[in-house]
Amino acid sequence: MCKAIKQRRSCRSFERSKPFNRTGLLRALMSCTPTRKAQAFVDDSIYLNFRPYPSPGGLYPVEIHLLEPTDNGFDLKYFNPNTGVLHKIRSDISVTEVENALCVGADKSLVHTTHGALLLSVLWERTVVKYGIAGYRFALIELGIVSQHLSLILADQDIETLNWGAFYDDKVTDLIGADPCLETLGSVIWYGK
């Protein structure tokens, strides 16, 4: 991990034409799967799955989506951390829709040069139900933790990244098919070579 910390930097010039080994990306996603189980204190029939990063109350409100370019635009996949499986939830998303949702300003080159983007969203209810209004803060803290965790793992796999916050909330929420009252996008990590 020390190597990853030393070589971690934001990359703003990706080249989709460079060969990309998806194995490193999948390793990074797998680093978000549960590492241990524990029996719930309140009900011994409930088991909690703990992931390798901290989460207030072990509620894990952050969800990971993967946006990958295809010949016809982009595919959107959901990463299920409990099973370690990617599920396709949308196909053939137009380049224009991705540009309009994720590229605030004039620079739309990221959509055309990266090998994809990790979209990190938050399910607010998971923390707010338990912690009230403080649950919003806890969810945002975890969003930063997951973003840093993935960025370091990707750097260790020699995959360049760019953490990105310049997106339109409503358009990106539509892109992932979320109900904005329950789930919103909080962070984007562009990746590639």
Side-chain angles (χ1 to χ4, degrees), residues 11 13-21 113 115 160 192-193:
C11 177
S13 58
F14 299 98
E15 289 185 43
R16 194 177 292 170
S17 60
K18 285 185 179 179
F20 182 75
N21 185 349
T113 59
H115 283 90
E160 301 285 339
K193 289 286 185 178

Side-chain angles (χ1 to χ4, degrees), residues 36-57:
R36 64 187 172 90
K37 286 186 178 195
Q39 200 168 22
F41 178 72
V42 179
D43 183 346
D44 61 1
S45 67
I46 297 174
Y47 286 86
L48 305 172
N49 292 315
F50 291 106
R51 301 178 197 169
Y53 52 84
S55 178

Side-chain angles (χ1 to χ4, degrees), residues 171-191:
K171 292 180 181 179
V172 170
T173 301
D174 287 345
L175 182 74
I176 64 172
D179 177 346
C181 295
L182 303 175
E183 179 180 11
T184 54
L185 195 78
S187 182
V188 174
I189 304 171
W190 295 102
Y191 64 85

Side-chain angles (χ1 to χ4, degrees), residues 12 99 102-111 113 162 164 190:
R12 290 188 171 267
E99 285 176 342
L102 293 176
C103 296
V104 173
D107 184 13
K108 302 203 185 296
S109 65
L110 289 170
V111 173
T113 59
L162 174 63
W164 189 255
W190 295 102

Side-chain angles (χ1 to χ4, degrees), residues 44-133:
D44 61 1
S45 67
I46 297 174
Y47 286 86
L48 305 172
N49 292 315
F50 291 106
R51 301 178 197 169
Y53 52 84
S55 178
L59 301 172
Y60 302 102
V62 175
E63 296 289 333
I64 302 170
H65 297 82
L66 182 64
L67 189 65
E68 293 183 301
T70 65
D71 293 337
N72 300 322
F74 285 84
D75 283 349
L76 180 68
K77 299 172 182 168
Y78 166 73
F79 178 69
N80 184 329
N82 292 321
T83 62
V85 175
L86 281 167
H87 302 277
K88 188 183 293 187
I89 55 176
R90 280 189 70 194
S91 296
D92 301 329
I93 302 168
S94 74
V95 172
T96 303
E97 183 180 355
V98 174
E99 285 176 342
N100 291 338
L102 293 176
C103 296
V104 173
D107 184 13
K108 302 203 185 296
S109 65
L110 289 170
V111 173
H112 303 279
T113 59
T114 64
H115 283 90
L118 294 169
L119 310 177
L120 306 178
S121 64
V122 176
L123 290 170
W124 301 108
E125 188 176 34
R126 286 190 190 162
T127 52
V128 174
V129 164
K130 184 172 183 178
Y131 295 110
I133 195 73

